[in-house]
Amino acid sequence: MDDFVLQTYGMTKEFKGFTAVNRVDLNVRRGHIHALIGPNGAGKTTCFNLLTKFLEPTHGRILFNGTDITDEKPAQVARRGIVRSFQISAVFPHLTALQNVRVAMQRGLGTSLHFWRSNRSLDCLNDQAVGILDLVGLKSFAGMAAVEMPYGRKRALEIATTLALDPEVMLLDEPTQGMGHEDVDRVMDLIKRVSANRTILMVEHNMKVVAGISDAITVLARGAVLAEGSYAEVSDDPRVIEAYMGSAANDELVEAL
Amino acid sequence: MTETFLTINRVRIVVLLALAMAVPFVTYPVLGMTVLCFGLFACSFNLLLGYTGLLSFGHATFLGTAAYVTAHALKAWELPTLPSLALGAGAAALLGAVFGLIAIRRHGIYFAMVTLALAQMMFFVFLKAPFTGGEDGLQGVPRGSLFGLIDLSDDTTLYYVVLAIVVFGLWVIHRAIHSPFGEVLKAIRENEARVTSLGYDVARYKLLAFVLSAGLAGLAGATKVLVFKFATLADVHWHVSGEVVLMTLLGGVGTVIGPMLGAGVVVVLQNELADKVGSFVTIIIGVIFILCVLIFRRGIAGELNELRRRVLGDARSGSADGG
Ligand SMILES: Nc1ncnc2c1ncn2[C@@H]1O[C@H](COP(=O)(O)OP(=O)(O)O)[C@@H](O)[C@H]1O
Ligand SMILES: [Mg+2]
């Protein structure tokens, strides 16, 4: 039997008559690194917003471990174990790297509404937070405000914050966007490492990353699923090549193919 | 380093407290108490604007509601002083919960508009309600005594009681900001969507911040009744809601003590200049405000902090070079 952690049936999102996501059936297998690719404007980020309930789907259902989560609130979905990152770096700029990670972890203590308690009560999380920072190579940045960190490190911090919740499914929206080669390699390696014991769904433009670490690929074009399969299957598909040819912004894939 | 930082903070607190305690010796206690009450009011407002990023434009309602309730409790029900204050602050917090439930899911200017509209409705309620005394307000409210022991009719005695109440209020704010709850608030101010994506029901945190802020604004309003012995429509007027924004920005948004300084400047200017220049005082305060927004964007406390940070930062890097 197939073991899917995340599934959608006919997931659709219309914006004032414009269909950004069109009857998408996603099947994300447990433990996989699943890449969602497609030209700019294909609807990938919108899919993420739908899966995490930041947007309400116009039609369709979303299942997590077989449970229908279509009508749940974003925070509820996150508490179930589906945690996302954002396409635009989403760190807390004026908190230190350590505080960024700790904010995610402190929910587990159940004291987050306790306004009468000292925040020193959160210090018990520090060691664990530093451990997570260490995992993403940010240990030496622990005391630095996120705003002062180099771009590539900010993205790593975002992953660390997501990781702090130990999510069952991690959604990463273009984790290597705008990075130099070195950073890309580092983040790719990081994703591979943190994928143990969890499922990762990622939007990624860098074909080296997609080819390198993904177990399955879904190609979106104009809001609909164009192709699905392994990297070899998808990159052989003439429709995929054509979709990418049509969009000059994605020379990279064309080259990679 | 944390150690010295704490000591510096403690020294600052002691100095400020000593200054505050000396006030009755250099000026009228009533002026000092007015500054303290509006200062607490501004600090409570800042808990929302500075630490949660919510601009409430109806905060006078909480100040005024508490004032009416406390005045009524003291005058009509003849309750002791402290329970009357608690009742006033509690009523404001309760009203804050109602306002909050209605407004909290709105963002930015819409949030401000909803709070303003609700505050205007409350103004009308207070104008018409039988227990508020309409246009006249509640006059001649007795101050009562503290535990039946300390008579509060003497202004200087009352000053120290008011100082204690305000210090308590500031302590609550300090505690809330430096609590697990405060950490989440700061994160919400920095990036609300991200906090949601981490599994927090952001609205609950904002609502609690709103209720706390309303309750503390209420404490300020209740205390003010003791000072002036009356509660009137002036306290619930939108002017006051605007003034508190001004005090907070002038003093330094997002700093614990800044709004108190801002309130000091505004209250003292109004007091000093009202006889001399009449209604020009609004223009003078307006000009100061504009200058502040254009040149000293961090406000008084913010600029002082920045100065200190620079001096300390230079000193630190200097010694690092030396070592
Ligand atoms: N909130 C919105 N309102 C209207 N149109 C939107 C909204 N969000 C996205 N879109 C449109 O939906 C399409 C898909 O966008 P998006 O999901 O961001 O694409 P991708 O992430 O694949 O580049 C785009 O044409 C975009 O303009
Ligand atoms: Mg996108």
Side-chain angles (χ1 to χ4, degrees):
Chain A
M1 205 194 96
D2 287 325
D3 187 14
F4 295 119
V5 60
L6 200 55
Q7 289 175 291
T8 66
Y9 295 102
M11 186 170 73
T12 300
K13 181 65 189 178
E14 288 163 11
F15 294 113
K16 298 192 189 107
F18 168 72
T19 309
V21 171
N22 193 2
R23 279 177 270 161
V24 165
D25 298 331
L26 270 181
N27 293 292
V28 181
R29 214 169 245 120
R30 189 179 311 284
H32 267 186
I33 297 180
H34 192 124
L36 190 59
I37 67 171
N40 275 324
K44 305 178 295 293
T45 298
T46 308
C47 271
F48 268 28
N49 283 330
L50 293 171
L51 289 170
T52 51
K53 299 313 307 298
F54 277 70
L55 287 174
E56 289 292 324
T58 316
H59 306 290
R61 323 265 351 132
I62 303 165
L63 263 59
F64 175 58
N65 287 329
T67 309
D68 192 323
I69 58 164
T70 317
D71 297 322
E72 296 195 346
K73 294 265 162 293
Q76 236 175 329
V77 171
R79 288 197 293 271
R80 279 188 179 273
I82 307 176
V83 182
R84 68 176 298 182
S85 72
F86 292 80
Q87 183 166 357
I88 293 149
S89 170
V91 293
F92 303 114
H94 297 100
L95 304 188
T96 63
L98 184 83
Q99 287 169 327
N100 266 270
V101 173
R102 218 173 59 170
V103 164
M105 295 170 65
Q106 78 171 77
R107 188 165 53 77
L109 294 179
T111 59
S112 289
L113 283 164
H114 292 190
F115 61 86
W116 57 88
R117 197 185 282 267
S118 168
N119 55 6
R120 259 171 273 157
S121 65
L122 300 174
D123 286 351
C124 62
L125 299 172
N126 288 359
D127 287 347
Q128 210 184 331
V130 169
I132 292 171
L133 287 173
D134 197 17
L135 193 69
V136 303
L138 289 181
K139 193 173 177 183
S140 57
F141 291 84
M144 188 186 275
V147 66
E148 286 163 20
M149 293 166 65
Y151 177 76
R153 301 294 189 168
K154 272 187 209 157
R155 299 309 304 255
L157 177 58
E158 206 187 327
I159 294 178
T161 305
T162 306
L163 208 55
L165 296 174
D166 194 15
E168 199 175 331
V169 180
M170 242 167 121
L171 275 62
L172 304 174
D173 198 348
E174 304 203 21
T176 68
Q177 188 198 34
M179 283 186 186
H181 283 294
E182 250 173 73
D183 279 340
V184 169
D185 288 344
R186 194 166 42 215
V187 168
M188 184 164 116
D189 176 58
L190 173 62
I191 294 171
K192 186 71 196 160
R193 268 188 295 139
V194 305
S195 70
N197 305 319
R198 74 183 93 245
T199 309
I200 292 181
L201 178 62
M202 63 173 184
V203 170
E204 185 54 64
H205 274 308
N206 189 320
M207 283 307 135
K208 189 177 126 199
V209 178
V210 174
I213 60 173
S214 55
D215 302 299
I217 299 170
T218 299
V219 186
L220 277 187
R222 298 206 193 99
V225 175
L226 188 68
E228 273 178 306
S230 67
Y231 183 75
E233 287 161 359
V234 164
S235 58
D236 265 352
D237 194 318
R239 290 170 305 169
V240 175
I241 297 170
E242 201 198 311
Y244 271 93
M245 290 292 223
S247 133
N250 291 281
D251 301 337
E252 209 171 351
L253 177 77
V254 179
E255 267 168 46
L257 296 173
Chain B
M1 192 193 87
T2 346
E3 198 74 8
T4 52
F5 179 71
L6 281 180
T7 354
I8 288 171
N9 247 341
R10 233 164 251 164
V11 168
R12 259 207 310 186
I13 288 168
V14 170
V15 169
L16 283 173
L17 258 182
L19 285 175
M21 289 178 74
V23 164
F25 297 102
V26 290
T27 181
Y28 308 107
V30 171
L31 178 62
M33 290 189 280
T34 313
V35 170
L36 285 173
C37 289
F38 277 102
L40 177 59
F41 179 42
C43 289
S44 76
F45 173 80
N46 185 42
L47 179 61
L48 271 188
L49 181 64
Y51 291 94
T52 324
L54 288 172
L55 173 60
S56 159
F57 208 73
H59 241 50
T61 300
F62 306 121
L63 184 85
T65 299
Y68 277 127
V69 170
T70 297
H72 197 75
L74 284 167
K75 197 179 173 192
W77 298 337
E78 296 175 3
L79 289 182
T81 306
L82 284 184
S84 300
L85 291 175
L87 218 55
L94 202 66
L95 189 66
V98 176
F99 272 39
L101 281 171
I102 298 170
I104 216 77
R105 282 173 205 281
R106 306 274 88 82
H107 286 98
I109 192 72
Y110 299 101
F111 177 81
M113 296 313 287
V114 173
T115 51
L116 175 62
L118 289 169
Q120 290 300 93
M121 280 164 58
M122 287 308 294
F123 181 85
F124 187 75
V125 169
F126 285 127
L127 179 64
K128 296 295 178 194
F131 81 99
T132 60
E135 307 263 8
D136 301 330
L138 294 170
Q139 303 282 344
V141 177
R143 283 176 178 174
S145 66
L146 216 54
F147 313 113
L149 293 173
I150 306 164
D151 182 47
L152 297 177
S153 50
D154 175 54
D155 281 348
T156 307
T157 311
L158 184 66
Y159 177 85
Y160 290 103
V161 173
V162 168
L163 180 61
I165 293 170
V166 170
V167 167
F168 166 76
L170 293 179
W171 177 78
V172 171
I173 292 173
H174 172 85
R175 180 74 291 152
I177 290 167
H178 299 98
S179 70
F181 171 67
E183 300 288 306
V184 179
L185 282 191
K186 273 173 253 173
I188 291 174
R189 183 188 60 181
E190 301 252 299
N191 192 333
E192 184 173 332
R194 182 54 171 159
V195 177
T196 302
S197 80
L198 295 176
Y200 291 99
D201 288 313
V202 167
R204 283 176 68 189
Y205 291 82
K206 286 184 176 175
L207 182 62
L208 179 57
F210 199 80
V211 171
L212 278 176
S213 172
L216 288 164
L219 183 62
T223 308
K224 203 164 86 62
V225 169
L226 294 187
V227 179
F228 294 103
K229 303 181 210 166
F230 60 72
T232 64
L233 280 173
D235 289 339
V236 285
H237 200 276
W238 64 266
H239 273 173
V240 177
S241 295
E243 228 162 55
V244 75
V245 181
L246 200 143
M247 290 169 178
T248 305
L249 293 184
L250 198 59
V253 71
T255 61
V256 176
I257 207 71
M260 180 65 75
L261 299 176
V265 170
V266 172
V267 169
V268 169
L269 275 180
Q270 278 172 345
N271 189 68
E272 290 297 305
L273 297 178
D275 315 338
K276 295 167 193 144
V277 297
S279 52
F280 273 108
V281 69
T282 21
I283 295 179
I284 293 172
I285 289 177
V287 170
I288 292 176
F289 182 63
I290 291 168
L291 287 178
C292 165
V293 170
L294 292 181
I295 305 170
F296 306 109
R297 302 192 60 171
R298 297 184 184 89
I300 301 168
E303 294 294 342
L304 287 176
N305 274 344
E306 181 65 17
L307 197 69
R308 197 173 61 113
R309 210 175 60 93
R310 253 184 238 159
V311 171
L312 283 182
D314 287 352
R316 218 175 277 148
S317 61
S319 66
D321 289 348

